[in-house]
Amino acid sequence: MIPIENQTHISQLIDLLGDADPDVRQSAALAIGEAQAPEAAAALVARFGVERDFYIRETLTWSALRVREAALPHVYTALDSLRWLARLQAAHTLSKIANPADAARLVPLISDPVDAVAVRAYAAAALTGEPRVLPALVAQLARGDAEQRNSLTVALGSYGKAAVPALVDALREESPAVRLHAADTLSHLGSPGADGAALALTETLADPDAGVRLAALNALGQLAVPFAWRVVDATTAHPEPLMRGLAERLARRRPKPRRIAVQRRAAEPVTGVIAAAPGALVELRCESEFTARSPTFQALAQRVADLAATSPPDTAADLAGTPTSPSILSPTGGTLADDLAALAEATGETVAIGRVARLPGRTTAHLRRTAAGLPPRVGALVAYEGESWTDEVAPRIALQVAVSGPRYVAREDVPAEVLARLRADAVAEARKQGRPDQLADRIAAGRVEQFLHETVLLEQVSVADPGRTVAGLLTGRGVRITGFVRLEVGVPPGVPSGS
């Protein structure tokens, strides 16, 4: 061992970092740290990739952090080293700092080809607390052995409920191993962190893989939400012995029940889905895209649309009292109101029927997604008369309504007072700008014509065939459009959506 009183020359200590004797290397690293010598920072970090003794590497990290400002540039460089040990120790060093600004540097190491480096990066990146880390962590689900998967579970668990949406998406991945690991991670999160996953876990009980089904049921058993425990209780009668046995064990040690507080806000839920049935469009609303993507939420929206199409009630309140058949939300059946209440309890969100629109006669519908991965948020329903309507033309007209948002079928449907006001405003504006009366009249006429082209369905340029208007698309087909309705989640009727 090197006596501390003789460790006065930093350059000698740096030389001794490569000594053949591990005790000498350890003493040198310790002495440099105690001396807090910034001139030794580069040498300390350089040893990250070549020092084979674990405890000495820990001392190297400690010493480097004693001169943090001098050492960090070298640590950042080591993250890209060709030596895997250097990358590992650099990530470990940054984990001691847990600086959110380092998240971007650590994210690439989460997928490092060397498992040991990736594991160390899981923890280091998660400790930054940065949301940008989550997708990279979730992408590693099912990687490696049980110990590595557990390290990833712990890293994801540190994000609490913020990790739930990404884990729920992983429950729907193609790989059974990924789905199982996602369910296990939600089980690790438990309540209250994973309470928002109660519905998705319930959906996963129908997974084609038996292991995934068991993992999802076990995760439900870690939640203290009444909805989850109704599902667990119902699963005690499951036909599969393993599922039945697990449900019985979970039921014997259930946590103390607690309710998710459904947030009642002054504003209506901000998102949702549009569903269609013959002659009907409905809007089902919720508070997050996370819930809107749920297959159960979308199935409920379709059920509301089917009821709206076949039942006399026209309002949301009337529909809510309509009886429904057994489902994942109400295993023994009930009313639509019961299903809505169960969905709200399972998600912790306000869930409500929004607008309901119906058209009599023959109709065709079009549903449109406004973003990849999201359910339809725009719906159009078109009513028509005539026997020459074809499957080729019908969806084109509904698509036109969904995309272009017309307000009238034909120009004669536009109220005269609307055109008069538009003309008067255009004339007044032109005169204010000093235009002569004759020119002002022409400007106003052009403004009116443009308004008709933009708001009248038959006057619009066809989305399906930009070389013709919608009226031209229907020429010679013996078909008359009698009405249409367009619903877009969160957009009041008659307000252009910009789509």
Side-chain angles (χ1 to χ4, degrees), residues 46-85:
R47 290 295 300 175
F48 281 7
V50 295
E51 177 54 63
R52 68 177 187 175
D53 188 285
F54 170 80
Y55 295 102
I56 298 177
R57 290 199 305 273
E58 288 294 287
T59 304
L60 291 169
T61 284
W62 173 81
S63 296
L65 291 175
R66 297 268 288 176
V67 288
R68 180 186 300 186
E69 289 188 10
L72 275 179
H74 303 289
V75 173
Y76 293 150
T77 299
L79 292 173
D80 297 321
S81 173
L82 295 177
R83 294 179 179 272
W84 69 269
L85 198 55

Side-chain angles (χ1 to χ4, degrees), residues 401-442:
V401 173
V403 171
S404 297
R407 294 161 62 182
Y408 313 98
V409 174
R411 64 169 58 204
E412 55 265 27
D413 298 326
V414 184
E417 59 270 21
V418 171
L419 297 180
R421 185 170 57 252
L422 179 64
R423 179 182 293 275
D425 290 345
V427 168
E429 182 182 348
R431 286 174 176 170
K432 186 177 180 179
Q433 294 173 353
R435 304 295 192 271
D437 288 349
Q438 185 176 6
L439 180 57
D441 288 340
R442 295 191 67 84

Side-chain angles (χ1 to χ4, degrees), residues 246-263:
L246 176 57
E248 290 170 351
R249 290 194 297 275
L250 290 170
R252 287 195 294 269
R253 58 176 182 82
R254 70 179 60 195
K256 184 178 180 180
R258 86 179 203 37
R259 291 189 174 275
I260 295 178
V262 178
Q263 299 178 10

